[in-house]
Structures are given as C-alpha cells and as structure tokens.
Amino acid sequence: MQTSASAPADDRLLPRIGQWLSTTNLVVPAILVAWFAIVIVPIIILFVYSFFSTAQFRTVYEPSLDTWIGLFESGRWEVTLRTLRIAVTVTLIELVGAFPFALWLAKGGVSKGGRAVCLALLTIPFFLDMSSRTIVWRAILGQSGLVNTVLMGTGLTDAPVEWLLYSEVAVHFGMVVSLFPPMVLPIYMAINLIDDSLIEASKDLGASPWQTLRRVILPLSLPGVMAGVVFCLGPALAAWVEPGMLGGGFVNLISNSIESAYSALRYPVVAALSAFVILLLLVLLAAMYLIARRFGDPASSFRVLRG
Amino acid sequence: MKDRFSTYSQAELTRRNLLLGMSALAGTAAMGGFPGRAAAQDLPLVKAYGVPTAALKDWAPMEKSIGVRCELSGASNDVGVFMRDVMGANMGDTADIFIFESGTEDILGPQGLYATLDEAHPELTLWERTSDDWKRSAVVQDRDGKQWGVPVIGNADSFGYFPEKVGIAPDSTEELSWSLMFEDEATRGRVAYGNAYTYSMGPAALYLQGKGAAQFGNIADLTAEEAKLVADFLIERKKAGQFRTLYGAFEEQIQLLTNKEVDVINCWEPAVREANLVLGPDATRYAYTKEGYFKWGHGAYIAAQAVDRGNLDAIYKVLNYFLSGEYRALQARDRGYAGPNMDLGVEYAQSSGWTAEEIEALKATEAKVAKKFAKPYVSTTTPDNAGAMEEEWQRFMNA
C-alpha cells in the first residue's frame, strides 16, 4: 500500500531534481572543485614536497633542489624511463593482442555460450590475488621449473634457459598476462556497440575488409582502445608484484624505487620520483591524444556509447 | 629485517605461534576461565609497546616469579612506527616500556623520549652478571655509550647454503667466508641476495673489510663514500653474474632453498629450518662465518614519562626478568631466538625438569650464540647515513 502511494511521488521527484540540476549551472563547477580538492591539490603538495630534503629520518622543510639534484646525479631518474619503456611496451603488446581478440569475440560470429565462457575466463582473474597469480610462474619458469624440464627432457636445450625467470622478459610476460583483461574488455565493449548495419553498409559500398576495419571499426572503437590503454598503462606504470617476483631484483621499477626510499622515510625522494613520472605521463598522454586524432576525434567518439 | 611481500617480519615470525597460543587461551577461557586470573588482576601492571616477539606465549610464569603483570601491545618493526607513535603520538603517556629493534635508542634516547637506564636499580639484580656482548651492545646504547635499555632477544644472521654444493661436510661447523656469497667462482650465478640495503649492504662491507680491501668506520652506518665503495663492488659482482636473484621476502628465502634455485642465500635462520623440513635434515645449513654476522637484537627501553608514574620498581622487575633464566629458556624453546644469559636458561631448564633433549637444544643455542656474538657487527634500523646508503643501494639495483 505504502509503495503504491510513494511511487508517484518518486516519479515526480526525480525529474524535478534533474530539471533543477539542468537549470542551475552548479554541477560541472561542483565536480571540478571536488576534483581539484581531492586529486589536483595532493599532486601539488607532492610536487612541493619534492623540494624538501631528509635528515635523520625527518623531513627538513627548507626549500632546496637537493632531492632533484640527487635524483639525477645518482642516476635514479633512469628508473622512471625504464618503467615507462616497459609499461609502454607491455601496453603495445596488449593492444596488438587484444584488439583482434576483441574483434573476434564481438563480431566474429561467436556463439552466446562461447562468448560467456570467454568473458568469464577474462574476468575470473580479477577475483584472485595478484601475488598468488604471479608467484606460480616462478615454479613454471625457474631453472628446475616445468618449462626448463620439458626443454631439457625433449633435448631442445642442454642446460636450463636462465632468462626465462628473473629477467625483463619474465617481467614483461607476467605483466602481459595480468593486464590482458583490462585491455581487452573495454575494446570488446566498444566494438560490441558498433551497429552491424554500419559494417554491412561499408561492405555494400564496396569497401574491402581492411578498409572497413580502418575507416569504420577502428574509429568507432577508439573510446574502448583509449580506455584499454589507460587501464593497462596505469597499472603497468605502478607494477610492483611482477617486477618483484619475476624480475628477481634485476628489473628495478618506479614502485620498487619508491618503496626503497619510503623504507628510509625519504618522502621528498618519493615525491620527486612520483612528480617526475606524472610529468612524463602527461607528455605521453598528450602524444597519444595527437596520434589518436589521426584516426578520428577521440573526444567526440564517445557518442557511439549512446547507441 | 622487514620485507615487502612477506606477511610477517623476522621479529614477527613467531606471531603465528603467539596466535595459536592465544587461541588456546581463548579456548581455556570458554571452558571455564583461568584459575588464578582474578588474582593476577591485583598484581602491579607494566604496559609494554613494541614488537610482539618479546611476548611470552603465556605470561603466567612471569607473574608467578616476579609478581608483576605485563600487557604488551604489538607494533610492527618499521622505523616509521616509532617515529610516528613514540614521537608523534606520545605513546610514552600510556606505555611504560618500549621494545624495539636496535636503532631507536639513538634517536629517541637523546631526544628525551626514553629514560636512561639506572644500572644500580635494586630490582635489576642480573645486570652485573650479564655479558658486555649483550648489555654494552649498540642495541641498547647510543653512539655516545649512554645506556638506554636492556637487551631482550637477538640473533646473528649469516647465509644458508647447500653443503654438498660448496663441498663441505653436512655436519661441519667450519667457519666459512662470505666470499661464497660474493666472489666464489663455484657459487657464481647461484647466489640469492636480499634486496634491502638495511639487511644486505652490511655483509658486503664486512666481507670487503675482512679481505682487507677496505676499512669502515661503522659497518652499520656507512658514510656516503663508504657506501659508494660497497655499491661499486656489488655492481661489479652483479655484472659478473654472481647473483641469481635479489629476493624480497621471507617466503622467497624458503622457496629459493626448497626449489634448489640457488646454492647460497643471505637469509634468516628460520628459512633454513623451514627448507630442511622439506628437503630433509641438514640438507641446508646456516653458516658460521669468518668475517662476522648481521647481528640484530631487541632492547627494552623505559618511557621517559613512566619515571614519575610510581611503578618504576615493577618496570625494573620486568626488565630484570628479560635477563633471567626462566625468560631465556621459555623464549628459546618457544620461539627459537637467543638472548643474554643463556647459561641461566640452561640452569632453569635443568632445575625445572625439562627433558634432556630440550636442555641439549638450549646448550647448543648457548654455544652457537657465544661463538657468533664475539664477531662484528651490530645492525641498526636507524643509520645516520640512511639517505646516502639507500641512494647507493639504488645505484646497485639500477646497474
């Protein structure tokens, strides 16, 4: 009884709230202010902190360039370049592998059951602990691991292949495995939303499959590609488990370096390293945006999601 | 030592046992409560704060022996903990004693947050007979030699190894050189090296000093130049392929040994024990070394505020108990770590009717500790040059 009485009231209330929000121009400024307070301000504080120094485990609040000079003099800044190089490489590998897979899954005539199984296999890893998923590779890739046992058992190699574990190859491999779902799922969603009639029309107008891919599917899937790149690049830049467990200490990335500085309570070094990565990331995203513009309009391509 | 991926630190290694003990206590409570607990509530209370390794599985023997109750709130061994809790949050307002790994006394003592130890306090009856190796160590004295606390537990860390791989008899107690870790051709590419500067930089300096390649003022607190020298040596060895891996966690120590991925690893002693449970007795051994050890210890320090709280006698009774045979024997049996006055621990076990096997184990621990602790060096969690050491360590990591 009560629900039937309150339902019409709710029906009236929601449109009224929507109407009020659209007439007052408060929403966008409110979100911007909140964003500024919880995201931008901490980054500014981080940047300011990088101009302090540490003495006997305590931060010395006197502006100086010591931390930044130390960062470059000791060669520590190289860790940021290495991290970027590995993160970008992993992201590109993911993109090359994920796009065809997503295309096949969305438009390749896969049955509903097959699609459900694939999506389940892609999402299940999210529910498992990253360390547990990564550490099993050590038993597989180690000197006395499964791969080396098979290689030596079949006579393909005489001695264990050492670079399978505790190397950059192993770190790349571990990251590619763990970051495949964040890349493939947004691309799959975007391609899945493309109206089949658009692809049919392209074909009817005489376009080759390559032309359809390049001029129809690729531009319309850009939002998914961009999202996939961001979802993949972000965690790759912050990767900590894979370099720690599969790199064997030989692949020192930004997170490892920050953790080490943190253990000595060197907050200004942590801040400088983080600030440096943010600056490099801004440059990278700007470059990515310019490249994406060549294929379409990344900003307006979100319109496809309305379909 | 603290590590990154591990769920526990060396100091907290026995927390699992502690929890098991607590579960048992909870079970006893559920079955009808603890006899004598009500009486214990009337005893004077000493509040402790620090790493839980110092806790007994059951404090009842202590309450019976000295008539004081101790309540220990566990904290991690992180340098940030005592900076934040003791300095920032004034933990001394509530805690009577702090129990931390060596290093805190160098900062918190001179800053007035710890009270100096009154070595002549009438309740500190065992102080005189405690050996200087323990009571005058850098764990409980600051750099000026001022006494801030009493030693509680400790160990001397070296490296684990496979005797057959390095050509040594499994039951040998021969002192080995750290060269097996850093320069031996036979172990090249078969060595795992801890990737924390606090744990691994010292042994490298110790080795360089041992072979006469360098002389260091204080191995636990290397100056920028000294740290650079050590890092240069390590970079050269890294490039020569000496290290198979630079590990980060206690679980990794065990895994690297049980998988036989490496022949030598600088690690905690319990890792060797754990590996032998899988591989068989004496499959791996923990080395006696020629040059020295990464000696670590926990000290108990009095909060400055506690001096005027009127329970100083009870506090000193607890500190004295940490030096006693009963505490030593119970700690060694239940947690496997050593401490000062191991001989009193043996005496206690004998007079308390412990089994011959338990007494033998205590004697072996006593002999082992006496042999190891005569050599350098005592580690610290708070080197003055932490910044320079960490920076040079990163240069090694990035090389």
Side-chain angles (χ1 to χ4, degrees):
Chain A
M1 287 290 116
Q2 204 174 359
T3 49
S4 62
S6 63
D10 286 348
D11 285 350
R12 282 195 304 276
L13 189 65
L14 287 174
R16 275 164 63 186
I17 291 172
Q19 201 178 8
W20 179 77
L21 286 174
S22 62
T23 50
T24 58
N25 292 320
L26 280 175
V27 180
V28 174
I31 290 173
L32 282 178
V33 167
W35 185 256
F36 186 80
I38 61 176
V39 177
I40 307 298
V41 169
I43 291 176
I44 293 170
I45 292 172
L46 187 84
F47 198 66
V48 169
Y49 237 84
S50 71
F51 292 98
F52 297 138
S53 56
T54 314
Q56 255 212 331
F57 300 100
R58 286 203 281 187
T59 305
V60 180
Y61 294 97
E62 282 172 22
S64 86
L65 286 171
D66 289 354
T67 301
W68 283 96
I69 291 168
L71 204 68
F72 287 95
E73 272 186 356
S74 68
R76 194 168 189 151
W77 65 280
E78 284 176 20
V79 83
T80 55
L81 292 188
R82 184 184 303 122
T83 307
L84 265 181
R85 174 170 57 76
I86 291 178
V88 171
T89 310
V90 167
T91 305
L92 289 175
I93 294 170
E94 298 287 16
L95 190 56
V96 169
F99 194 89
F101 180 78
L103 185 60
W104 167 78
L105 195 63
K107 300 293 178 192
V110 185
S111 68
K112 274 188 178 177
R115 203 175 287 176
V117 169
C118 283
L119 289 173
L121 288 174
L122 284 170
T123 44
I124 282 172
F126 282 119
F127 298 99
L128 300 174
D129 171 57
M130 172 78 96
S131 306
S132 317
R133 270 185 286 151
T134 309
I135 203 162
V136 293
W137 288 111
R138 293 228 295 228
I140 297 168
L141 302 172
Q143 285 193 350
S144 48
L146 182 69
V147 176
N148 270 317
T149 306
V150 170
L151 286 175
M152 289 195 291
T154 52
L156 284 170
T157 56
D158 296 330
V161 182
E162 292 205 358
W163 52 260
L164 278 177
L165 188 61
Y166 305 141
S167 63
E168 265 200 31
V169 174
V171 173
H172 277 91
F173 174 75
M175 285 163 73
V176 165
V177 171
S178 61
L179 294 173
F180 190 67
M183 176 62 92
V184 81
L185 288 172
I187 300 178
Y188 163 76
M189 300 267 281
I191 297 177
N192 203 32
L193 285 171
I194 298 173
D195 199 331
D196 284 345
S197 60
L198 291 173
I199 298 168
E200 288 297 321
S202 172
K203 206 158 108 184
D204 291 347
L205 291 169
S208 67
W210 168 247
Q211 283 175 317
T212 303
L213 176 68
R214 194 177 161 276
R215 304 183 71 167
V216 179
I217 297 174
L218 200 57
L220 290 174
S221 65
L222 262 189
V225 172
M226 292 284 279
V229 166
V230 171
F231 290 161
C232 185
L233 190 63
L237 282 169
W240 182 70
V241 174
E242 299 93 341
M245 288 189 165
L246 303 179
F250 297 122
V251 188
N252 202 33
L253 298 191
I254 186 87
S255 50
N256 310 105
S257 197
I258 284 176
E259 199 266 343
S260 171
Y262 186 76
S263 72
L265 301 187
R266 302 180 72 197
Y267 299 127
V269 174
V270 172
L273 277 169
S274 308
F276 194 56
V277 170
I278 290 170
L279 290 174
L280 289 175
L281 202 58
L282 286 175
V283 173
L284 197 73
L285 286 173
M288 214 175 79
Y289 183 80
L290 290 174
I291 293 167
R293 266 202 347 192
R294 287 176 63 87
F295 292 95
D297 181 0
S300 64
S301 58
F302 278 91
R303 280 179 306 190
V304 77
L305 295 177
R306 287 184 199 158
Chain B
M1 181 193 176
K2 185 172 75 67
D3 56 41
R4 302 177 308 148
F5 299 113
S6 183
T7 49
Y8 45 84
S9 74
Q10 180 158 212
E12 294 159 334
L13 187 60
T14 46
R15 188 179 274 177
R16 289 176 180 178
N17 293 340
L18 184 73
L19 289 172
L20 280 175
M22 284 166 71
S23 310
L25 289 176
T28 313
M31 294 293 284
F34 304 96
R37 285 290 91 181
Q41 296 302 319
D42 300 331
L43 297 174
L45 174 67
V46 170
K47 286 184 178 174
Y49 180 76
V51 283
T53 319
L56 287 176
K57 273 187 176 177
D58 177 10
W59 289 103
M62 184 189 86
E63 289 162 7
K64 199 175 161 196
S65 295
I66 63 170
V68 176
R69 204 153 55 90
C70 186
E71 212 174 78
L72 184 122
S73 306
S76 90
N77 214 20
D78 198 285
V79 68
V81 168
F82 63 80
M83 296 295 280
R84 186 188 63 231
D85 292 352
V86 183
M87 293 175 80
N90 290 320
M91 277 297 291
D93 288 345
T94 48
D96 296 314
I97 56 175
F98 296 111
I99 301 171
F100 287 125
E101 194 169 330
S102 54
T104 63
E105 74 290 343
D106 289 330
I107 294 178
L108 302 180
Q111 288 194 6
L113 291 150
Y114 288 167
T116 47
L117 188 81
D118 176 6
E119 296 177 43
H121 195 281
E123 294 295 347
L124 204 59
T125 54
L126 294 169
W127 185 250
E128 199 60 38
R129 58 107 54 216
T130 302
S131 81
D132 284 354
D133 281 349
W134 286 96
K135 74 179 179 191
R136 302 296 180 208
S137 86
V139 174
V140 282
Q141 286 190 337
D142 67 13
R143 293 183 182 93
D144 300 327
K146 206 166 185 181
Q147 194 76 39
W148 294 106
V150 302
V152 178
I153 56 160
N155 203 5
D157 285 9
S158 60
F159 53 87
Y161 64 96
F162 283 88
E164 54 178 293
K165 298 280 181 63
V166 295
I168 293 160
D171 57 348
S172 169
T173 53
E174 182 192 339
E175 289 186 335
L176 306 175
S177 169
W178 279 91
S179 65
L180 284 170
M181 187 83 208
F182 297 111
E183 274 193 311
D184 201 303
E185 266 307 300
T187 57
R188 191 154 66 87
R190 302 284 302 162
V191 172
Y193 191 38
N195 72 3
Y197 78 96
T198 41
Y199 193 62
S200 290
M201 214 163 191
L206 201 59
Y207 170 65
L208 286 173
Q209 186 159 282
K211 74 170 192 171
Q215 199 62 39
F216 301 101
N218 178 3
I219 286 176
D221 192 1
L222 302 170
T223 63
E225 294 75 28
E226 291 171 337
K228 183 178 181 308
L229 198 145
V230 173
D232 285 342
F233 166 70
L234 288 172
I235 289 168
E236 186 267 307
R237 295 316 302 153
K238 187 181 179 184
K239 289 187 171 161
Q242 182 69 17
F243 308 117
R244 168 74 180 129
T245 177
L246 306 172
Y247 72 85
F250 176 64
E251 289 86 348
E252 286 184 87
Q253 298 175 3
I254 301 168
Q255 194 194 34
L256 287 162
L257 285 171
T258 49
N259 286 357
K260 300 188 175 177
E261 189 80 21
V262 295
D263 297 338
V264 178
I265 176 172
N266 69 323
C267 62
W268 305 347
E269 196 164 359
V272 169
R273 282 209 300 267
E274 294 279 336
N276 287 344
L277 290 177
V278 178
L279 302 171
D282 285 339
T284 62
R285 292 292 305 273
Y286 203 59
Y288 287 104
T289 74
K290 288 177 182 165
E291 296 90 353
Y293 302 86
F294 173 95
K295 294 194 290 187
W296 60 270
H298 291 169
Y301 317 89
I302 303 169
Q305 298 94 315
V307 175
D308 302 321
R309 275 204 283 262
N311 64 339
L312 213 50
D313 282 354
I315 289 171
Y316 272 94
K317 275 183 182 173
V318 171
L319 296 187
N320 196 59
Y321 185 75
F322 288 146
L323 303 172
S324 73
E326 181 176 286
Y327 179 78
R328 195 81 291 125
L330 293 172
Q331 269 285 3
R333 185 190 66 185
D334 298 341
R335 307 206 186 285
Y337 285 128
N341 299 327
M342 282 303 296
D343 57 322
L344 290 182
V346 175
E347 271 178 34
Y348 169 84
Q350 284 166 335
S351 62
S352 305
W354 285 24
T355 65
E357 202 180 321
E358 286 174 327
I359 293 168
E360 269 317 300
L362 275 176
K363 283 181 178 169
T365 307
E366 183 191 5
K368 180 186 78 177
V369 166
K371 185 172 174 178
K372 285 180 164 183
F373 268 69
K375 293 200 171 186
Y377 75 95
V378 178
S379 65
T380 177
T381 54
T382 57
D384 273 353
N385 301 308
M389 289 170 76
E390 197 271 334
E391 199 69 53
E392 286 299 328
W393 185 256
Q394 277 300 304
R395 201 163 59 81
F396 160 64
M397 294 295 287
N398 284 320

